[in-house]
Amino acid sequence: MSPSTPTVLPGDAPSPPSESAPPAATATGGAHAAGTAAALAAALLAACGGGGGDAAPAATPGTGGGSGTGTGAGTGTGGGTDTAPITEEEAARFLLQAQFSATDEEIAAVRARGHAAWLAEQFAQPVGTTGTEWLARRGYGVANADSRFHNASYPADHMLWSQLFTERDAVRKRVALALSEILVVSTNGLDQPWPAFLAAGYWDVLNQHALGNFRALLEAVTLNPAMGVYLNTRGNQKEDARTGRQPDENYAREVMQLFTLGLYRLNADGTEQRDGSGNRTETYGPSDVSNLARVFTGYDYDRSQNQSFTVGTSTVPGPQQARLPMVLTASRHSALAATFLGTTIAAGTAGDAALKTALDTLFNHPNVGPFIGRQLIQRLVTSNPSPAYVGRVAAAFADNGSGVRGDLRAVVAAVLLDGEARGAAGLSNPAFGRLREPMVRFVQWGRTFGLRSAQGSWKLGDLSDPASRLGQSPLRSPSVFNFFRPGYVPPSTAIATAGQVAPEFQIVTETSVGGYLNFMQNAIRNGLFVNAPDLPQNASNANNGFDIACTYASLLPLVADATALVRKAALLLSAGQVPAATQARIAGALAATPVTATSTAAVQLNRVAAAVLLVMACPAYLVQK
């Protein structure tokens, strides 16, 4: 765990310090990461429920200092009250489900205010700096032959990391990130001018509507130019009998399959409906797709505010078209009747009216509440929620307590304040919990321990490489099906035998486990090495260095007491869920190297970094309960 070669970020080759190359990261107990990867992956499977069988029972609302399950009168903040003092561990557990981090200050705030009141305060937080504004302030909205930002996607990565690490509205950002894995757009698929601004515009839409109404979110997503590029509605034209052209069906299919309904009809509790023969019943068929596709014709960029650039002999459109909702050209819109999901839009209906009818039909389908609700539970709380839990969240989607359907504040509150989320039963139930995603672990580490970019660069890049980085990066899904599917079952495991799912395990391999440990070892101890942090573009200059690093202000005062240090790290990172025996083992390993309050800063940082890494390598941390 000694000082080591920097974690080099995407871009030009750095000028690294002259230290010798480090040993590979070590897992708990000191074994080489490559040698322990298979064992750690197996341990993760077991910790995530591999030994379990029964579904998690519904916990009694309000146990363990939790809240009730009501949605409140139109506020979506939960009608229950905290019936007992909230412990540090309970507050941290709630925070790590609701947002990314649980700092001492955040824990104190939850304990003082209660779950529901704290959540209401977070719901009221304004959006703050948008992704589009951040890109513009950093100079990424200028096209020239040197930087060629109009063709570069990497500024989107820098923007997203800045948003996730620094913005105050952490609950909104956590929900927006979850939504980005349900209504997927990937920067990898934005092969158009200004891909970074396309990604930023989509991220801004998710943030704007994350705590609003799902109907408004659905419309904003449908008309967003990044979605138009990604799923082919931008430039999609009506049928042409002369050429045989038909409307592109990509978005029509995915908006039903992935964004609203799912493949099969659901009961209100998320269980699948069955016909008289016990077979699942499909939600839609090919005719629904081809008819709905007619509605999504005639849309393209809104170029009305473009301020173009001349680059060499070429004219480059301005980035404004990347953030404005797409506009309709009536002559390119299909005038044919469209019948889908039991609704018919008459021939000749105007495009905007047809779109409204189509989105209203999708929004009001009974599948939407349980389909979206279950996935939000999976992203924030547990991979295998009980049908009763899903049913309560779906009920909040159907009616927020004031007769409003689709209120996402009510839905998020129902997810986080439910008895199954707050009750202590899940802590000992092997079927309860979820594997923390790599990018969520990374953001948690940074927000918990004061990660800062000295130059404001946040030039972290795409961290998708599983061998040398995180194996995941925001808005970098390999396909519209996200990084993993909500129904993924690790084959030949006890999880499969128990009939459970473990979505995040779809991206867990021996390579990714070792890559995560090595990446985090360097990042935790040294920070992150950035080339030319004073410049927005990829470059290399005399300012190369560790521009991005943590302060560890909450841990350094405890550095001389290995036991207290590990206890604090385990509280902040795992809500105290790392077992006492494991904490003692880590503390014993740290104590083997004496550290006092008068030790050098480097020696003190070595111990803090080792404590953080070893906690973040524990299965009891990696599996969030």
Side-chain angles (χ1 to χ4, degrees):
M1 311 278 178
S2 57
S4 56
T5 301
T7 298
V8 182
L9 299 171
D12 297 334
S15 302
S18 59
E19 288 105 0
S20 59
T26 57
T28 304
H32 191 284
T36 63
L40 181 54
L44 294 181
L45 284 166
C48 199
D54 298 332
T60 302
T63 59
S67 298
T69 60
T71 60
T75 65
T77 59
T81 57
D82 295 303
T83 58
I86 302 171
T87 68
E88 285 188 321
E89 290 78 11
E90 289 164 346
R93 183 188 185 205
F94 171 69
L95 286 161
L96 295 177
Q97 293 169 344
Q99 54 175 26
F100 299 102
S101 62
T103 64
D104 288 325
E105 295 76 14
E106 291 164 339
I107 290 170
V110 170
R111 296 185 72 193
R113 294 170 178 79
H115 299 114
W118 181 89
L119 192 59
E121 290 180 359
Q122 304 314 304
F123 284 166
Q125 286 277 353
V127 171
T129 302
T130 68
T132 299
E133 290 169 345
W134 190 89
L135 288 176
R137 290 176 186 176
R138 288 288 296 169
Y140 290 116
V142 177
N144 59 55
D146 295 327
S147 64
R148 302 194 65 81
F149 290 142
H150 57 288
N151 288 331
S153 65
Y154 66 82
D157 300 306
H158 307 338
M159 175 275 297
L160 286 162
W161 291 124
S162 173
Q163 290 268 298
L164 294 174
F165 280 120
T166 68
E167 289 298 317
R168 290 172 54 95
D169 55 332
V171 170
R172 182 189 301 274
K173 293 294 181 286
R174 184 67 188 90
V175 175
L177 187 65
L179 290 170
S180 78
E181 297 185 82
I182 300 171
L183 299 93
V184 174
V185 162
S186 175
T187 307
N188 299 340
L190 301 181
D191 189 18
Q192 281 281 306
W194 302 105
F197 277 84
L198 284 166
Y202 191 68
W203 175 247
D204 292 343
V205 158
L206 295 180
N207 278 273
Q208 178 185 351
H209 297 285
L211 301 175
N213 193 282
F214 187 80
R215 172 61 176 79
L217 171 64
L218 183 60
E219 182 167 336
V221 163
T222 299
L223 295 178
N224 182 265
M227 181 62 77
V229 170
Y230 193 59
L231 292 183
N232 309 122
T233 50
R234 189 202 72 82
N236 190 19
Q237 296 187 51
K238 65 184 180 182
E239 61 288 327
D240 187 337
R242 296 171 303 169
T243 64
R245 183 185 66 211
Q246 293 294 319
D248 188 284
E249 297 181 353
N250 206 7
Y251 186 71
R253 179 180 300 105
E254 308 306 359
V255 74
M256 290 191 287
Q257 178 182 346
L258 302 177
F259 300 170
T260 55
L261 311 182
L263 292 172
Y264 301 103
R265 293 184 180 274
L266 302 175
N267 295 308
D269 62 3
T271 57
E272 293 174 340
Q273 296 182 10
R274 303 281 171 163
D275 62 19
S277 301
N279 299 313
R280 297 182 294 187
T281 56
E282 293 183 345
T283 309
Y284 62 90
S287 177
D288 296 297
V289 174
S290 60
N291 276 257
L292 182 57
R294 296 169 187 165
V295 175
F296 303 124
T297 55
Y299 291 93
D300 212 326
Y301 289 127
D302 180 350
R303 298 180 173 88
S304 63
Q305 298 182 28
N306 274 4
Q307 299 176 18
S308 299
F309 297 87
T310 299
V311 179
T313 59
S314 301
T315 298
V316 176
Q320 294 79 13
Q321 67 184 31
R323 66 172 174 82
L324 296 173
M326 294 187 295
V327 293
L328 179 72
T329 299
S331 62
R332 295 186 173 189
H333 179 74
S334 176
L336 296 180
T339 298
F340 54 92
L341 302 175
T343 296
T344 296
I345 297 175
T349 300
D352 54 353
L355 182 67
K356 181 181 185 304
T357 298
L359 297 182
D360 285 346
T361 300
L362 292 169
F363 172 65
N364 287 302
H365 193 285
N367 264 36
V368 181
F371 182 74
I372 296 298
R374 185 175 191 273
Q375 290 188 74
L376 285 174
I377 296 170
Q378 287 186 311
R379 299 278 55 77
L380 302 177
V381 178
T382 182
S383 297
N384 294 280
S386 72
Y389 187 2
V390 175
R392 292 188 291 269
V393 172
F397 185 96
D399 185 343
N400 70 346
S402 296
V404 176
R405 178 177 174 82
D407 178 357
L408 289 174
R409 289 193 182 193
V411 172
V412 172
V415 169
L416 295 172
L417 300 178
D418 191 84
E420 287 192 37
R422 302 276 52 82
L427 296 174
S428 58
N429 188 336
F432 189 86
R434 57 183 292 275
L435 180 67
R436 298 179 200 267
E437 300 168 59
M439 63 183 176
V440 174
R441 299 173 219 160
F442 185 52
V443 175
Q444 181 196 7
W445 161 70
R447 291 190 80 113
T448 302
F449 299 121
L451 191 71
R452 294 293 180 267
S453 172
Q455 298 270 8
S457 73
W458 294 105
K459 293 170 78 170
L460 286 164
D462 178 3
L463 302 184
S464 298
D465 182 5
S468 62
R469 306 193 187 283
L470 291 177
Q472 191 185 32
S473 215
L475 266 64
R476 286 285 186 180
S477 168
S479 78
V480 73
F481 294 99
N482 193 28
F483 305 97
F484 40 77
R485 298 301 302 127
Y488 176 75
V489 179
S492 303
T493 64
I495 290 176
T497 301
Q500 299 164 3
V501 301
E504 296 85 356
F505 275 96
Q506 193 167 355
I507 58 173
V508 174
T509 65
E510 292 190 19
T511 297
S512 71
V513 170
Y516 161 74
L517 292 173
N518 283 318
F519 177 82
M520 290 305 300
Q521 178 187 1
N522 288 332
I524 290 168
R525 173 55 180 81
N526 298 318
L528 296 130
F529 194 93
V530 173
N531 292 321
D534 55 317
L535 300 176
Q537 69 267 28
N538 285 339
S540 182
N541 62 23
N543 293 316
N544 292 356
F546 293 96
D547 176 66
I548 302 172
C550 282
T551 63
Y552 298 113
S554 61
L555 297 184
L556 283 169
L558 304 173
V559 70
D561 185 339
T563 299
L565 174 64
V566 173
R567 185 187 305 117
K568 174 66 75 173
L571 171 67
L572 301 183
L573 291 168
S574 75
Q577 292 170 24
V578 173
T582 303
Q583 292 190 38
R585 188 178 182 186
I586 295 173
L590 298 181
T593 301
V595 177
T596 69
T598 59
S599 297
T600 65
V603 168
Q604 292 188 33
L605 181 56
N606 284 346
R607 174 174 278 191
V608 167
V612 171
L613 176 66
L614 290 173
V615 170
M616 293 186 74
C618 290
Y621 160 75
L622 293 166
V623 175
Q624 178 180 358
K625 286 187 173 288

